[in-house]
Amino acid sequence: MEETNREAVATAVQRVAGMLQRSDQLDKVEQYRRREARKKASVEARLKAAIQSQLDGVRTGLTQLHNALCDVKDIQNSLADVSKDWRQSINTIENLKDVKDAVVQHSQLASAVENLKNIFSVPEIVRETHDLIEQGELLQAHRKLMDLECSRDDLMYEQYRMDSKNVHDMNLIRGYFGQVQGLSEELSKQLWMVLQRAMVTVRRDPTMLVSVVRIIEREEKIDRRMLDRKKQTGFIPPGRPKCWKNRMNEVLEGTVSGRIESTQSETRESDKMWLVRLLEITRKYVLDDLTVVKNLMVQCFPPHYNTFQVFLDLYHKSVSARVQELAAEDLEANEIVSLLTWVLNTYKSVEMMAHPDLQPECDVKQLEPLLPQHVVDDLLGKYLKTFTSNITGWLRKALETDKKDWQKETEPEADQDGYYQTTLPAIVFQMFEQNLQVAAQINETFKEQVLRVCLKQMNSFLVRYREEAINYKEEHLKNRQLPQCYVQYMIAIINNCQTFKESINSLKRKYSQSTEPTQNDAAIDNLLNEVAREGCQFLLDEVFLDLERHLNELLTRKWLTGTHAVDTICVTVEDYFNDFAKIKKPYNQEMTSEAHRRVVVEYLKAIIQKRISFKNADERKEGAERMMKEAEQFKFLFRKLSAVRFIALCVFVCAQGEDTDRLCDAIAAIAEVFKLTDPALLYLEVSTLVSKYPDIREEHIVALLAVRGDASREMRQMIIETLNQNKPSSSSVSQPVFRDITVPSITMTSMAVPKLLK
């Protein structure tokens, strides 16, 4: 208690200290005191009220306990009186045993009298009931059957009450009514027959189905009554409970299952479209039957049967079991697609379970999947495996067919714009398109998977395509006369690459939701570019094989004295490019640029290889003028070729012209070196050449000076050393000219000078 007081005092001190932390708060001390006094008075009032409430509760509890004690004493007295009266009445109860036996006998006699008419007429009622069953009067037959069963059950019950161990009399009654059980079984067969044909019966004679349902309902009520009596007495008549409602559900389930199983009338051996036909028949049967259930059969059953939902569940269960059986078979790829399309799309579409005639009772969102997800995944995996194998074979076969076309003596077909092409891209992408359309019927995810497989196989296919194009070129080089249309088909191969690109992009836009490029996309694009560029290179190789003899004449004595080598080169190139005009963009653009570069490089090689050494100024002047003239011929030729291909692209033509000028100007710049008459100015001309073409190397300068023929060793050494001291930068060269030109060792000077001008 003292500790509590100390804690209270400490708390109060802390509280007061908190309120009086500032000097201006001393003016409010009286106000704080009154407020605390009010709080104290409030707390004391609540404590008093709580204590008073507890005291009132204790007082009430004591009063109730006192009353309960009085009641217990009264009950004890009453029980003592009852016990006394019971002991006094034992003898009286024993004297009433004879009365009890008499009551039992009276009850039996009363039951016998009540059923006397039926007892004597059992054989006649049995015959009448049998005739009614055969005539289809099921309600009347069931009424008589119930009368017979009621008489039998009442007699057996009374016998059971009198002497449950008297088996002889019980068997006697059962034997007398022995035909009743047979009638019940016969009637049940008729009921099950009607239920098995319920879909037909409800259209022709719905009253028959109503009668069957009423009979089953009656039997259900009797079953419940007999089971209740069994709980009380332990007696139940023979054949009870009949459980006809459960049997009805089994019959309906078997009927629905049989209806679904009967849809297969053909096999794969007799009809390759057997599965499509089976699924379509199943769809029609299920839709028609559920429509009949909704519009007709529901009216024949009590509302609490929930008839439509019952039949919906039965059909769904049967269809699910059937498609799982089909999924377990060894299905082909097209059959897998047909099954999954039907299961995943058709089944819940407006063509079947979401049909307007079944709404709103049929909620497709509540239907469980027909196939477990793992089965669907297994089927999709099997399809992808088969599809991958098939598409590999299809692509190989398509390539083999295309290779045979390459050997033809007639030119390949041209598209509407006049570009050569083969049927290979159309065949390949028609194949892809068909399979993607099929995959799209299943779902978006599977469609994306099939597209990835197509693109992956396309990658492998392009590797083989490139190899075959290389083999085609190598076989041609063995005999350049064969095949006759080598150039045209090589152009078609190049054009196919652009067609493949366009087709792949079209497929991705149409069948892929992803716009992000993948590594596979980049690989395909690189392969196509590589095949096309190699094809262009093969064609240019073909051109330069024909030009080889004329290129070898350049910068020779024969060339200096007068030859038409450059004229022939230009005519040959232009003639080839008439065919090359049928190459699609951008490869025709690249090919024109590459042909231009190679012609100029070959011309420069002819200069660097020192096929001629000018003897005097006249020869140098004549050679330089001829070089300038031929440079102009090359400019004119390639501007003409560029204009033919890019007439609609003026800006690009200008750019091409600039590149054409720069390449051909290299020839003119070298000609200026040769044309110069004052050797003292030779350094300035060479430095101008080097500044324009920074990729030129020391050996090139040495070779040019050697061709000029009048540069002494000292002059050459001075020029090289001076140029090395003023090294030009070649980092910004967009199109190197001299980089790939090698100089024969015979032109190299033995002077010890740096090897490169960088």
Side-chain angles (χ1 to χ4, degrees):
M1 190 66 178
E2 291 179 358
E3 184 178 355
T4 303
N5 290 335
R6 285 196 301 271
E7 289 179 358
V9 170
T11 302
V13 170
Q14 186 176 3
R15 183 174 178 81
V16 170
M19 289 189 295
L20 300 178
Q21 290 181 348
R22 299 189 305 273
S23 59
D24 60 333
Q25 292 177 327
L26 294 175
D27 297 337
K28 299 180 181 180
V29 170
E30 186 61 27
Q31 182 180 347
Y32 291 154
R33 187 186 64 76
R34 288 196 299 270
R35 186 175 64 187
E36 294 301 322
R38 285 196 299 271
K39 288 183 180 180
K40 179 181 178 184
S42 175
V43 171
E44 290 176 350
R46 288 200 300 272
L47 286 173
K48 289 178 181 180
I51 293 172
Q52 185 63 39
S53 175
Q54 292 292 329
L55 291 174
D56 292 342
V58 171
R59 188 180 296 108
T60 302
L62 291 174
T63 303
Q64 291 176 348
L65 287 173
H66 178 73
N67 294 336
L69 180 60
C70 294
D71 292 340
V72 169
K73 290 180 179 180
D74 292 340
I75 291 170
Q76 287 178 342
N77 295 333
S78 299
L79 287 174
D81 295 339
V82 169
S83 177
K84 180 178 179 182
D85 294 339
W86 177 73
R87 290 191 184 93
Q88 293 176 356
S89 61
I90 289 177
N91 296 330
T92 305
I93 293 172
E94 291 177 353
N95 294 334
L96 292 176
K97 183 178 180 181
D98 295 337
V99 177
K100 179 181 177 183
D101 294 339
V103 169
V104 173
Q105 291 177 357
H106 175 76
S107 176
Q108 291 175 344
L109 291 173
S111 177
V113 170
E114 182 179 351
N115 294 288
L116 190 60
K117 180 179 179 181
N118 290 337
I119 291 172
F120 285 111
S121 58
V122 166
E124 181 182 354
I125 297 175
V126 168
R127 287 193 301 273
E128 291 176 355
T129 305
H130 181 73
D131 293 340
L132 289 171
I133 293 174
E134 290 185 345
Q135 294 169 9
E137 300 293 337
L138 302 183
L139 276 177
Q140 297 181 29
H142 185 252
R143 171 59 62 186
K144 291 185 176 295
L145 176 63
M146 285 195 301
D147 292 341
L148 290 172
E149 288 180 340
C150 183
S151 299
R152 179 197 65 184
D153 296 345
D154 287 346
L155 291 173
M156 294 184 73
Y157 176 64
E158 295 301 333
Q159 176 61 37
Y160 180 83
R161 288 178 61 193
M162 184 176 68
D163 186 2
S164 61
K165 297 181 180 179
N166 190 344
V167 179
H168 179 268
D169 290 346
M170 294 288 281
N171 290 336
L172 182 64
I173 298 172
R174 183 182 289 108
Y176 186 74
F177 287 91
Q179 292 180 302
V180 174
Q181 186 63 29
L183 286 175
S184 177
E185 294 174 357
E186 186 177 349
L187 178 62
S188 67
K189 291 179 181 179
Q190 292 297 319
L191 299 181
W192 312 146
M193 189 179 299
V194 171
L195 289 172
Q196 288 170 353
R197 304 179 59 196
M199 291 297 170
V200 178
T201 303
V202 77
R203 290 185 176 99
R204 296 180 180 177
D205 185 10
T207 57
M208 178 67 75
L209 186 59
V210 173
S211 298
V212 171
V213 176
R214 289 180 62 185
I215 291 170
I216 293 172
E217 279 291 287
R218 289 175 183 173
E219 289 294 335
E220 283 295 302
K221 291 179 181 178
I222 297 173
D223 279 350
R224 288 194 294 270
R225 189 168 66 249
M226 293 297 106
L227 290 173
D228 290 341
R229 188 167 68 177
K230 180 184 178 183
K231 293 178 182 179
Q232 298 174 2
T233 65
F235 171 77
I236 189 167
R240 293 288 178 185
K242 293 183 179 180
C243 301
W244 277 6
K245 185 176 181 181
N246 292 339
R247 176 59 180 159
M248 175 187 71
N249 293 334
E250 293 174 1
V251 171
L252 291 177
E253 183 175 357
T255 301
V256 172
S257 178
R259 180 82 163 159
I260 299 301
E261 291 177 357
S262 66
T263 55
Q264 183 169 352
S265 58
E266 297 173 334
T267 60
R268 182 185 294 119
E269 289 72 20
S270 61
D271 185 1
K272 291 192 176 296
M273 300 298 291
W274 67 277
L275 184 59
V276 175
R277 295 181 183 274
L278 183 152
L279 295 173
E280 176 57 22
I281 294 172
T282 301
R283 183 197 68 81
K284 189 174 184 303
Y285 278 13
V286 172
L287 179 59
D288 291 347
D289 290 356
L290 288 178
T291 303
V292 170
V293 171
K294 178 189 173 187
N295 296 330
L296 299 176
M297 195 173 293
V298 169
Q299 304 170 15
C300 300
F301 288 81
H304 67 272
Y305 272 53
N306 200 8
T307 306
F308 183 82
Q309 187 62 44
V310 169
F311 273 91
L312 179 63
D313 293 342
L314 290 177
Y315 273 98
H316 181 76
K317 180 180 177 182
S318 298
V319 172
S320 178
R322 183 64 179 132
V323 296
Q324 289 190 50
E325 291 176 2
L326 293 172
E329 295 184 12
D330 187 18
L331 297 177
E332 297 177 356
N334 62 319
E335 294 171 348
I336 291 174
V337 172
S338 298
L339 180 63
L340 290 178
T341 301
W342 193 89
V343 167
L344 300 177
N345 298 322
T346 304
Y347 183 70
K348 292 187 178 182
S349 70
V350 293
E351 297 179 6
M352 195 169 177
M353 304 307 279
H355 194 279
D357 291 346
L358 301 182
Q359 304 305 311
E361 285 81 356
C362 181
D363 185 1
V364 294
K365 295 180 181 179
Q366 301 299 322
L367 294 175
E368 294 292 330
L370 287 177
L371 288 176
Q373 188 59 44
H374 70 88
V375 176
V376 174
D377 293 340
D378 290 345
L379 287 174
L380 292 177
K382 182 179 178 182
Y383 174 83
L384 284 176
K385 183 178 180 181
T386 305
F387 170 68
T388 303
S389 175
N390 289 344
I391 204 169
T392 302
W394 294 336
L395 291 172
R396 185 179 293 110
K397 184 177 179 181
L399 183 54
E400 291 298 324
T401 303
D402 204 56
K403 282 170 54 183
K404 292 178 181 178
D405 292 342
W406 298 351
Q407 307 299 325
K408 289 182 177 180
E409 297 179 358
T410 57
E411 293 182 356
E413 296 180 357
D415 63 11
Q416 58 186 3
D417 296 321
Y419 297 119
Y420 286 137
Q421 63 179 5
T422 67
T423 58
L424 182 62
I427 293 173
V428 169
F429 284 95
Q430 184 180 9
M431 186 191 316
F432 288 170
E433 179 86 18
Q434 290 173 352
N435 285 278
L436 285 167
Q437 287 176 354
V438 170
Q441 297 174 7
I442 297 177
N443 55 46
E444 290 295 325
T445 302
F446 184 63
K447 181 184 67 175
E448 293 277 357
Q449 291 178 334
V450 172
L451 178 59
R452 285 196 293 271
V453 171
C454 290
L455 295 179
K456 184 177 180 181
Q457 291 301 312
M458 187 68 192
N459 199 347
S460 303
F461 167 75
L462 290 176
V463 173
R464 295 194 297 272
Y465 191 55
R466 179 192 175 200
E467 293 171 353
E468 295 298 339
I470 294 173
N471 293 337
Y472 184 52
K473 184 262 298 187
E474 292 176 350
E475 288 296 321
H476 170 70
L477 292 179
K478 294 177 181 177
N479 182 359
R480 293 186 61 209
Q481 303 303 316
L482 296 176
Q484 293 182 7
C485 296
Y486 166 79
V487 171
Q488 290 80 1
Y489 276 100
M490 185 59 72
I491 291 173
I493 291 172
I494 296 169
N495 289 340
N496 286 348
C497 293
Q498 185 63 21
T499 306
F500 278 133
K501 280 187 179 182
E502 295 169 356
S503 301
I504 288 172
N505 291 333
S506 176
L507 282 183
K508 290 172 65 179
R509 285 193 303 269
K510 188 173 181 180
Y511 294 102
S512 178
Q513 295 179 345
S514 174
T515 57
E516 295 295 327
T518 63
Q519 291 182 350
N520 196 46
D521 296 338
I524 291 176
D525 197 59
N526 292 336
L527 269 173
L528 288 171
N529 288 334
E530 194 169 354
V531 173
R533 291 193 181 102
E534 287 180 348
C536 292
Q537 195 68 36
F538 297 159
L539 291 176
L540 289 178
D541 290 344
E542 187 75 5
V543 174
F544 281 88
L545 283 173
D546 286 348
L547 297 179
E548 184 175 3
R549 181 169 60 86
H550 305 291
L551 291 171
N552 290 335
E553 290 181 5
L554 297 175
L555 274 294
T556 62
R557 284 289 165 186
K558 182 179 180 181
W559 168 81
L560 186 62
T561 58
T563 180
H564 300 290
V566 171
D567 296 335
T568 305
I569 290 171
C570 291
V571 171
T572 304
V573 170
E574 186 172 4
D575 182 58
Y576 267 104
F577 268 80
N578 288 332
D579 286 336
F580 296 165
K582 297 184 178 181
I583 298 177
K584 289 183 177 181
K585 299 176 183 178
Y587 304 123
N588 56 3
Q589 304 167 1
E590 295 176 3
M591 192 165 186
T592 304
S593 300
E594 180 62 18
H596 180 200
R597 191 192 69 81
R598 285 187 63 170
V599 167
V600 172
V601 168
E602 290 296 330
Y603 197 99
L604 295 176
K605 282 182 179 178
I607 299 172
I608 300 300
Q609 287 173 358
K610 195 188 174 185
R611 297 174 183 175
I612 187 174
S613 179
F614 297 121
K615 297 179 179 179
N616 51 52
D618 293 337
E619 283 190 356
R620 286 193 290 275
K621 180 180 179 182
E622 182 180 356
E625 290 176 348
R626 190 173 187 84
M627 288 171 62
M628 290 180 178
K629 177 185 175 183
E630 291 173 348
E632 290 298 322
Q633 283 183 266
F634 290 144
K635 281 185 183 181
F636 177 79
L637 171 65
F638 287 104
R639 283 178 177 174
K640 179 180 178 181
L641 294 179
S642 298
V644 169
R645 284 154 183 75
F646 316 122
I647 192 168
L649 302 176
C650 298
V651 175
F652 186 80
V653 170
C654 294
Q656 282 293 110
E658 292 175 2
D659 290 341
T660 301
D661 290 348
R662 185 176 186 279
L663 286 168
C664 294
D665 284 347
I667 300 174
I670 293 176
E672 291 292 342
V673 174
F674 293 159
K675 187 178 179 181
L676 186 68
T677 57
D678 186 359
L681 300 177
L682 191 59
Y683 166 74
L684 295 176
E685 203 64 48
V686 172
S687 63
T688 301
L689 174 66
V690 172
S691 64
K692 290 182 179 178
Y693 302 94
D695 61 316
I696 195 168
R697 299 192 297 275
E698 169 202 322
E699 55 264 32
H700 296 145
I701 302 299
V702 173
L704 293 177
L705 295 177
V707 173
R708 179 177 167 85
D710 64 343
S712 63
R713 170 180 290 187
E714 291 76 12
M715 182 180 292
R716 283 181 289 180
Q717 184 175 0
M718 183 270 295
I719 291 173
I720 295 298
E721 289 177 352
T722 305
L723 290 175
N724 277 321
Q725 293 173 3
N726 301 282
K727 296 177 182 178
S729 174
S730 61
S731 58
S732 60
V733 178
S734 59
Q735 188 178 15
V737 180
F738 293 88
R739 184 182 60 189
D740 299 327
I741 299 177
T742 57
V743 181
S745 59
I746 58 173
T747 67
M748 296 298 294
T749 181
S750 60
M751 294 183 299
V753 294
K755 296 298 181 183
L756 296 176
L757 294 175
K758 297 183 181 178

